Amino acid sequence: RGVASAMASTSITSGSPVIPAAAALYFSLEDAASRGLSHDELAKLLDESADFLCGCLGSYKAPNARSKAEVESGSVQYGGEKRSLNASIREVTIAASKKLNLDEVQTYALLRRCLAEDGSSAPAQPASLDDDLAERLTTYYFRERLSVLKCVHALLMHAQAVDDDRTTELVSTTLERMLEKGLEANLVDGICAHLLGETPARPEDARKNPSVSKDWSELALEETRVMLECVFLMYYDRRTKCSSATFARLARAFERGALGGARGGARGWGAVL
């Protein structure tokens, strides 16, 4: 049960879906038994995480006045209960939100998880966002973004399994729920934006720090690869049919992005990088 507790999703009050611990959820989808998760525990995690996964990368929101005010108030809904934020945590969260170009409440959730990765029951509370913490948090955020897409990929893969067991049934039910809520549109929006270099979520340091810029470029490329596989699997599965309009949109994005980059060097696909 310790594994399930560590993977608990984060409830927030600023209008966004619950934030899953995406990397941990992905490994559990790959092999729940080896991580000590029962069928009921996996079902609970998927139920809590489905709406966030359905939004794909669009579930990560930009900084906004409402979330900033909530953090600055010193009280945030986290893990099903109200959490009090002291002055230093509020300051670190706001600074990290600006650096990541990420919603303030979502930043707080990721910050808590990042700090908890040292394994201590009571992680040290940072007094400021120093370079070391900024690097750790940025790496953690990048990993979680990619893991959200890997979770969607895992659901699409496992839903096609021929095994007639409870896990396959659970995954299929979760996937159908996500498709009903707009997974197809969210995946198509995401892959087209990446191909065309129109993703708005570039962290602040990716614009001026060569190392972070390189990491962001590699992440964008890997996110694009995983989304392409997700789109293929989604249409390969008979639950979803690709309309002519969607096919034309994807084709235009490829022509202007990946294929355009091959012809035009810095144009098109290069914009993703």
Side-chain angles (χ1 to χ4, degrees):
R1 296 191 60 82
V3 173
S5 175
M7 289 175 54
S9 299
T10 303
S11 300
I12 60 177
T13 59
S14 52
S16 298
V18 167
I19 304 175
L25 178 58
Y26 169 69
F27 289 123
S28 291
L29 284 170
E30 289 299 286
D31 194 351
S34 71
R35 293 179 66 82
L37 283 177
S38 69
H39 177 273
D40 289 343
E41 287 171 331
L42 182 60
K44 182 175 184 295
L45 287 170
L46 285 175
D47 182 61
E48 292 173 342
S49 305
D51 286 349
F52 196 95
L53 298 180
C54 178
C56 302
L57 297 181
S59 289
Y60 290 107
K61 304 301 182 182
N64 61 86
R66 180 179 177 181
S67 289
K68 184 177 182 180
E70 185 174 348
V71 169
E72 290 178 335
S73 75
S75 180
V76 170
Q77 185 79 11
Y78 179 88
E81 60 185 61
K82 282 283 187 179
R83 301 275 182 160
S84 296
L85 284 64
N86 62 34
S88 63
I89 286 296
R90 295 198 298 269
E91 181 181 333
V92 170
T93 299
I94 297 299
S97 168
K98 181 180 179 181
K99 189 171 286 288
L100 296 178
N101 193 20
L102 181 67
D103 176 278
E104 289 82 358
V105 177
Q106 292 185 335
T107 300
Y108 171 71
L110 294 179
L111 175 63
R112 281 189 60 95
R113 291 208 185 110
C114 179
L115 293 173
E117 283 203 328
D118 64 6
S120 64
S121 57
Q125 299 298 300
S128 64
L129 185 67
D130 59 26
D131 290 344
D132 178 67
L133 178 57
E135 181 179 354
R136 285 172 57 200
L137 184 57
T138 300
T139 299
Y140 183 83
Y141 173 48
F142 286 5
R143 188 188 76 192
E144 288 294 289
R145 282 176 58 97
L146 185 58
S147 294
V148 163
L149 298 177
K150 287 185 174 182
C151 284
V152 175
H153 186 280
L155 289 171
L156 287 162
M157 286 289 291
H158 291 315
Q160 299 180 44
V162 296
D163 301 330
D164 186 19
D165 58 20
R166 294 177 69 199
T167 300
T168 300
E169 180 182 356
L170 170 61
V171 167
S172 295
T173 300
T174 302
L175 180 60
E176 287 169 4
R177 167 184 162 187
M178 290 164 60
L179 287 168
E180 289 173 359
K181 291 191 173 185
L183 175 62
E184 178 190 10
N186 294 331
L187 268 177
V188 171
D189 286 348
I191 187 62
C192 287
H194 268 51
L195 286 169
L196 298 172
E198 296 172 352
T199 52
R202 182 183 294 269
E204 181 183 77
D205 281 0
R207 299 181 175 89
K208 55 187 180 182
N209 183 317
S211 176
V212 177
S213 179
K214 178 177 180 292
D215 290 344
W216 175 258
S217 296
E218 291 174 350
L219 175 70
L221 190 59
E222 184 65 7
E223 287 175 350
T224 302
R225 183 190 68 79
V226 177
M227 282 191 286
L228 284 171
E229 291 185 6
C230 286
V231 167
F232 171 81
L233 289 169
M234 180 175 63
Y235 291 133
Y236 180 79
D237 185 275
R238 295 185 179 182
R239 291 179 179 84
T240 309
K241 181 179 179 180
C242 183
S243 69
S244 57
T246 298
F247 182 84
R249 184 185 175 197
L250 288 166
R252 286 194 298 271
F254 268 99
E255 182 179 16
R256 292 171 53 195
L259 300 180
R263 292 193 301 265
R267 292 171 49 248
W269 179 251
V272 175
L273 305 181

